Amino acid sequence: MRVMKFGGTSIKDARAIRNVAGIIETHIHTKPVVVVSAMAGVTDILQDSVKAAAGQDASAIQSIIEEIEHKHVVVIKELLDNTSYFTKLRHAIHTEVEKLAVLLSATRTIRIQIDDLSHAVLSIGELLSSVILSTYLNYKGLSAQWVDAREIMVTTNHNKQIVPVLRSIKEKAAERILPLMQKEQAVITQGFISATSEGVPTTLGRNGSDFSASLLGAAIGAEQIQIWTDVDGILTADPTIIPTARVLETMTFDEASELAYFGGRVLYPAAIQPALEKGIPVYVLNSTRPQSRGTLILNHNVEADERPVKSIVYKENITLITIQASQLLLNTDMMGRLFQRLSDLRMRVYAVSKSATKLTLTVEGNAALQSMLSELPDIDRFDVMEQKAIISVVGERMKEHPQLAWKIIKMLQDKGIPIDLISQFATQISFMFIIDENNINQTIHLLHHKLIENNTRIHQV
Ligand code: ASP
Ligand code: MG
């Protein structure tokens, strides 16, 4: 058994769905449990419909409902021609869209919390895409059984905190999915959607389908999980800067986490944690080039390659603030207050560096920051440097090369690229530093060339 997850762009239209069906067919002997997202853009449209409902905008609601129905019907027309599959599916879509209409009008007739409405409405995207895929597989002669993920993915919903209940998910998956694996070739279910143990719809957060796939894989003890996207895997650098960036064959969970935090866009590693905790390998694969090998993510390092650096990532629009306050000498409350305010402003803090009376923080953006700082009583002064970038050099094997950080600094110095702040974590799987935004290209080219392309072991750098 394996879990195959397809994101919204992989099933964005009839052609893409045909392609995905072909991929599923080539894996059919493995009895896949297929997890799908909503068709690309659909969740956004549904989110707009919730806003329209909250604002009682009847004409906007009406046009969104029509748009949703149209978007899906166009696809099934192309996939199923005028067969009985088409007629049945057309009807099923219409029924689902009617439910959507009822939900969206509920704010007028009953008092419903917008959050509850939102979960129920957003679920419809995945319900529609999955029923289309499973019907299409049946039409192609495969025995694929559609399963409603809300019967399996149990979550809490206390104070708007949606947390999966692993034990219940495991029990429900054993009841609902494992018996089907005996008689069906594949099971088709939805990512992102879930429900409380009382059956009230919840959702796992935007882009939550990877998380669903990972939870489900862990629950059924899958032999592997495949995350099908529209890129070849995880790369050594941003291909818009380094067109020759190559796909990493393997990487560890910690490396993937570093990459995602500092700008890698392919995968949110927290989403695959449930699978990796169970030791289930996770593949990132490209549905538009199914023959490519993709990247394998494991919880331990297996790479025979001795290069210490796997990938170089960056984040733009970084602001560096240096706060000077004599209070910092003694008063730890001040740090607490400062971080609380940053968290209230939803500002993510990256590197931090502190001396006796100075504290430097790196944050993304800057909106509202200066006025917040001016309001804090204990600060003597602060300096703001904008348009900075964080560069992070990532690799599990960097641990074995403590001199690497120094070599990187030297490389930049030789090229006259100033560094504003340096941070190396105790775990030593990444080394990061702050530079001017307009030095990103040159820096990444330099480091990629010396540390990755050249394939030199580090002592030769
Ligand atoms: N359809 C949901 C979203 O767009 C979940 C997902 O795509 O993973 O956020
Ligand atoms: Mg999506």
Side-chain angles (χ1 to χ4, degrees):
M1 274 184 307
R2 50 177 75 163
V3 173
M4 302 175 78
K5 180 261 168 178
F6 294 94
T9 51
S10 297
I11 50 161
K12 64 174 192 265
D13 53 25
R15 198 164 149 244
I17 292 173
R18 265 193 220 108
N19 176 52
V20 161
I23 295 173
I24 294 171
E25 204 170 357
T26 59
H27 290 258
I28 204 79
H29 59 282
T30 67
K31 301 232 168 206
V33 177
V34 178
V35 172
V36 282
S37 297
M39 281 167 51
V42 168
T43 312
D44 291 331
I45 301 172
L46 291 169
Q47 215 156 25
D48 290 343
S49 80
V50 175
K51 276 190 216 131
Q56 310 262 337
D57 186 345
S59 78
I61 293 176
Q62 189 50 37
S63 68
I64 289 175
I65 290 172
E66 283 164 19
E67 187 183 356
I68 291 283
E69 182 155 17
H70 179 73
K71 219 173 152 61
H72 292 88
V73 169
V74 166
V75 167
I76 66 164
K77 257 194 195 137
E78 205 184 319
L79 285 175
L80 301 169
D81 298 322
N82 243 334
T83 56
S84 60
Y85 288 95
F86 172 77
T87 321
K88 249 182 91 188
L89 188 53
R90 174 83 190 76
H91 184 74
I93 290 174
H94 189 67
T95 310
E96 208 55 56
V97 169
E98 277 181 335
K99 280 191 216 152
L100 172 64
V102 171
L103 280 169
L104 293 173
S105 62
T107 50
R108 259 184 294 141
T109 45
I110 52 168
R111 285 179 49 166
I112 180 167
Q113 293 278 347
I114 286 298
D115 280 325
D116 292 335
L117 177 72
S118 175
H119 292 306
V121 167
L122 296 194
S123 305
I124 288 174
E126 269 71 9
L127 292 170
L128 289 170
S129 64
S130 60
V131 76
I132 292 177
L133 180 62
S134 75
T135 306
Y136 182 61
L137 290 169
N138 294 156
Y139 164 82
K140 284 192 41 153
L142 299 171
S143 73
Q145 176 66 46
W146 183 88
V147 170
D148 187 335
R150 292 168 301 181
E151 293 173 22
I152 299 163
M153 290 299 196
V154 182
T155 69
T156 58
N157 187 1
H158 299 138
N159 303 324
K160 302 187 185 172
Q161 296 284 355
I162 313 285
V163 180
V165 186
L166 300 183
R167 199 167 36 85
S168 308
I169 295 173
K170 192 167 178 185
E171 273 167 30
K172 302 264 181 188
E175 271 165 36
R176 194 72 185 88
I177 293 192
L178 296 182
L180 288 174
M181 301 317 283
Q182 309 299 321
K183 47 181 203 240
E184 304 286 343
Q185 289 179 294
V187 167
I188 312 298
T189 189
Q190 309 78 35
F192 177 59
I193 76 173
S194 46
T196 64
S197 55
E198 293 85 40
V200 180
T202 54
T203 49
L204 297 174
R206 293 302 308 267
N207 300 309
S209 296
D210 292 348
F211 193 32
S212 301
S214 170
L215 288 166
L216 201 57
I220 62 170
E223 112 235 0
Q224 62 172 255
I225 294 173
Q226 302 176 344
I227 307 280
W228 290 86
T229 63
D230 55 356
V231 293
D232 277 345
I234 299 177
L235 298 175
T236 52
D238 179 347
T240 60
I241 295 186
I242 310 283
T244 55
R246 63 175 182 84
V247 176
L248 291 161
E249 258 172 57
T250 70
M251 68 186 328
T252 66
F253 177 73
D254 289 342
E255 288 169 338
S257 304
E258 282 303 318
L259 291 191
Y261 192 59
F262 287 107
R265 276 162 286 267
V266 180
L267 184 87
Y268 293 100
I272 59 168
Q273 197 156 16
L276 290 174
E277 269 172 11
K278 289 253 178 318
I280 302 171
V282 176
Y283 286 87
V284 177
L285 296 158
N286 187 350
S287 64
T288 64
R289 291 187 352 110
Q291 68 286 5
S292 64
R293 291 168 68 176
T295 300
L296 166 62
I297 304 170
L298 295 160
N299 53 10
H300 58 280
N301 199 18
V302 291
E303 187 97 81
D305 187 342
E306 285 195 6
R307 273 172 302 182
V309 175
K310 288 268 182 75
S311 184
I312 300 160
V313 278
Y314 66 96
K315 205 169 202 48
E316 302 164 282
N317 190 24
I318 292 293
T319 304
L320 221 77
I321 329 147
T322 301
I323 295 165
Q324 201 166 326
S326 47
Q327 287 286 322
L328 282 169
L329 261 179
L330 322 152
N331 187 349
T332 47
D333 290 356
M334 185 188 160
M335 295 264 271
R337 274 200 303 279
L338 180 62
F339 276 88
Q340 184 56 53
R341 296 303 302 274
L342 288 165
S343 140
D344 295 344
L345 292 173
R346 300 197 175 283
M347 292 197 110
R348 213 186 226 190
V349 180
Y350 293 90
V352 178
S353 167
K354 186 181 175 300
S355 70
T357 57
K358 281 193 185 152
L359 174 70
T360 300
L361 300 172
T362 39
V363 295
E364 206 173 348
N366 168 356
L369 184 68
Q370 306 215 15
S371 64
M372 184 273 272
L373 288 174
S374 341
E375 280 164 23
L376 280 186
D378 318 326
I379 291 179
D380 302 333
R381 59 168 287 173
F382 63 86
D383 297 300
V384 177
M385 293 159 88
E386 292 179 287
Q387 289 173 349
K388 299 287 174 185
I390 299 183
I391 309 280
S392 179
V393 178
V394 178
E396 195 84 49
R397 286 186 167 235
M398 284 169 62
K399 289 175 198 156
E400 296 158 27
H401 301 274
Q403 78 284 32
L404 183 62
W406 176 81
K407 297 210 166 172
I408 293 173
I409 296 168
K410 174 99 175 45
M411 282 178 213
L412 267 77
Q413 201 179 37
D414 290 348
K415 294 280 179 213
I417 303 170
I419 301 178
D420 292 300
L421 188 141
I422 288 169
S423 168
Q424 175 150 33
F425 299 105
T427 54
Q428 286 185 6
I429 76 155
S430 78
F431 173 67
M432 69 184 224
F433 51 90
I434 313 275
I435 55 169
D436 278 347
E437 232 172 34
N438 51 26
N439 285 330
I440 293 177
N441 268 31
Q442 198 194 352
T443 304
I444 295 197
H445 271 279
L446 175 70
L447 297 181
H448 195 267
H449 179 69
K450 295 250 186 191
L451 301 174
I452 294 176
E453 276 159 47
N454 262 3
N455 200 5
T456 40
R457 307 247 170 99
I458 194 55
H459 42 264
Q460 294 160 350
V461 170

